Amino acid sequence: MLKKLDHFGIRDNILSLIQSYLTNRKQYVKNGEIESSLLDVVCGVPQGSVLGPLLFILYISDIVNCSNFECFLFADDAGLLLADKNKNALKKQVNKEVKLLHEWLITNKLTLNLTKTNYMLTANANKLTQKDRKKFRITIGKYTIHEVEQSKYLGVMLDNKLTWSDHIEHLITKLSQAAGVIYKLRKYLPFNAKMLIYESLVASYLRYGIPAWGNTTHSLLNRLQAAQNKVIRYLTYSPPMTNVDDKYVSLKVMDVKTLYFYEVSKFMHSIYHGQNPSAFGDYFQTISHSHNTRHRQLQTYRLPQPRTERGKKSLKYSGVEIWAKLPENLKIISNPKQFNFYLKEHIFSSSSNEDQ
């Protein structure tokens, strides 16, 4: 840790201070009235310390350079991605890169939780047979990593066909549970309290990750919409099967389709005004104008030409489509909070006009 801090430019008195903070610490175990003897803490950082997470991030930051995997890091969770058109070449390359990763772990005195480590193969249905999957093996040392058809990563369910069906099922379950809670409590709570429960148990789940999964198949979205409609009926004491489109407007609540539009618009706004993460730096192509322009709002994005229906459901495609639908006076608002406020106003005023 100290060598890495020195490499990052943390030296002299500051490094000595951190060294003093980390070294000469003791630990012991107490069970009831029985206490163990003191032992030196020779690795790691004090548990629950403020500096602990920061030091850990610095410690593992060079993992992205140890292999050709594309790395996605969040705290102590790591997702690794590798792609190839040839499945045999992919198998060979993955095992080569995993070996390099394993060497990095050993060098840095870290261990991988193999019980929580798995891999997923994604491909078009006609490109990968069940026989191909059985032949595809990834090993770390003597351990064979287990293949899964779906996996939960940072709260989102990923499936190996990228249909988002598992995540939609997960959301439907959450909304059904929320509907039960609201139905039982609605008679005893004021309106504000019921809306607070809705925001906590319904809206927060629907918003999370929706730019990624919100453009899935109509059949899956219709099932999710039906689950949300049920919650709205309970909130508004509406009979079963009642059309609740007007209820969404009166409650100032967005249905699934509208929420997708809203969240993707926010994402595109951050891209447009340079407030996005660096990973999305080249995600969208701008159309260059042949004439000089002093107005930022004249900048537009090029709509990709995907060869498949799946490509049309990607954020790279739908994001450009949605951004093109927004009025120019909204796009030029640089402040994110102001943009979100006026975007909501635009959405609900448009919905009211449609109902009329």
Side-chain angles (χ1 to χ4, degrees):
M1 181 78 255
L2 294 172
K3 287 180 180 179
K4 291 195 177 190
L5 290 175
D6 181 81
H7 173 76
F8 290 135
I10 301 173
R11 301 176 183 130
D12 302 326
N13 290 340
I14 297 177
L15 186 63
S16 298
L17 183 64
I18 295 176
Q19 181 177 9
S20 174
Y21 169 73
L22 293 175
T23 54
N24 298 321
R25 288 183 173 271
K26 306 287 184 180
Q27 66 180 6
Y28 75 102
V29 177
K30 181 178 181 180
N31 184 11
E33 299 299 321
I34 303 173
E35 297 180 1
S36 71
S37 57
L38 289 172
L39 292 174
D40 291 322
V41 179
V42 295
C43 64
V45 295
Q47 294 296 302
S49 63
V50 174
L51 283 179
L54 176 60
L55 291 173
F56 177 79
I57 290 170
L58 291 171
Y59 191 80
I60 68 165
S61 61
D62 58 331
I63 192 175
V64 298
N65 302 319
C66 76
S67 71
N68 288 318
F69 280 119
E70 186 175 356
C71 296
F72 303 92
L73 303 178
F74 186 84
D76 60 346
D77 252 348
L80 307 173
L81 177 66
L82 200 63
D84 199 294
K85 292 182 179 180
N86 185 292
K87 53 183 174 289
N88 294 321
L90 179 63
K91 175 184 174 182
K92 183 178 179 180
Q93 184 69 12
V94 166
N95 279 284
K96 177 185 174 182
E97 303 304 328
V98 164
K99 186 177 180 181
L100 293 174
L101 177 68
H102 190 222
E103 290 174 355
W104 181 90
L105 290 167
I106 293 172
T107 303
N108 287 273
K109 298 181 174 60
L110 294 171
T111 55
L112 192 65
N113 190 334
L114 294 172
T115 61
K116 293 184 178 180
T117 302
N118 49 56
Y119 75 92
M120 185 187 299
L121 280 172
T122 62
N124 291 334
N126 59 339
K127 297 289 185 180
L128 203 63
T129 65
Q130 201 61 35
K131 186 177 179 180
D132 293 330
R133 292 183 179 278
K134 288 182 179 179
K135 288 183 178 180
F136 201 100
R137 294 184 63 198
I138 303 176
T139 57
I140 296 181
K142 296 181 180 179
Y143 184 86
T144 300
I145 302 177
H146 178 61
E147 182 191 2
V148 295
E149 294 183 357
Q150 60 89 14
S151 181
K152 189 175 184 180
Y153 183 67
L154 301 181
V156 176
M157 305 295 295
L158 302 172
D159 63 272
N160 62 0
K161 295 183 178 62
L162 300 180
T163 63
W164 303 104
S165 57
D166 292 293
H167 189 68
I168 299 297
E169 292 296 336
H170 171 70
L171 290 176
I172 290 173
T173 300
K174 289 293 183 183
L175 264 60
S176 297
Q177 294 170 347
V181 171
I182 289 173
Y183 181 80
K184 292 177 182 177
L185 296 178
R186 60 180 180 171
K187 295 181 181 179
Y188 308 103
L189 296 176
F191 176 77
N192 289 344
K194 287 186 286 189
M195 293 308 298
L196 184 61
I197 292 175
Y198 174 86
E199 179 65 27
S200 302
L201 301 183
V202 178
S204 61
Y205 283 102
L206 290 177
R207 272 199 306 269
Y208 186 71
I210 196 172
W213 59 260
N215 209 19
T216 185
T217 62
H218 292 300
S219 58
L220 286 172
L221 289 178
N222 288 340
R223 292 187 58 220
L224 181 60
Q225 189 59 68
Q228 188 187 15
N229 290 346
K230 185 177 181 180
V231 177
I232 298 300
R233 290 190 186 100
Y234 285 165
L235 278 172
T236 57
Y237 295 88
S238 302
M241 307 307 293
T242 303
N243 186 302
V244 289
D245 289 350
D246 60 325
K247 307 296 182 183
Y248 282 98
V249 178
S250 62
L251 292 173
K252 289 292 182 81
V253 166
M254 299 182 199
D255 60 18
V256 176
K257 183 179 178 181
T258 308
L259 194 58
Y260 176 74
F261 182 92
Y262 174 70
E263 292 295 332
V264 172
S265 296
K266 286 168 55 180
F267 173 77
M268 293 301 298
H269 177 265
S270 69
I271 295 285
Y272 188 76
H273 289 280
Q275 299 157 345
N276 54 293
S278 58
F280 293 99
D282 301 321
Y283 201 66
F284 299 97
Q285 287 186 334
T286 56
I287 299 176
S288 58
H289 299 280
S290 57
H291 58 279
N292 292 328
T293 174
R294 293 180 300 169
H295 300 286
R296 179 66 182 263
Q297 62 264 37
L298 295 179
Q299 179 181 319
T300 54
Y301 294 106
R302 188 184 304 279
L303 187 67
Q305 301 298 319
R307 292 177 294 177
T308 63
E309 287 301 314
R310 177 178 289 179
K312 288 185 178 181
K313 292 184 178 298
S314 69
L315 184 58
K316 187 176 288 189
Y317 184 90
S318 61
V320 175
E321 273 197 324
I322 287 173
W323 186 249
K325 294 177 181 178
L326 293 180
E328 295 297 335
N329 63 324
L330 264 181
K331 295 179 183 179
I332 62 174
I333 301 173
S334 59
N335 185 287
K337 289 185 178 180
Q338 288 183 2
F339 173 79
N340 296 347
F341 175 81
Y342 287 112
L343 176 60
K344 283 184 180 179
E345 293 293 310
H346 169 72
I347 288 173
F348 287 118
S349 63
S350 300
S351 300
S352 299
N353 293 334
E354 287 178 7
D355 289 342
Q356 293 172 5

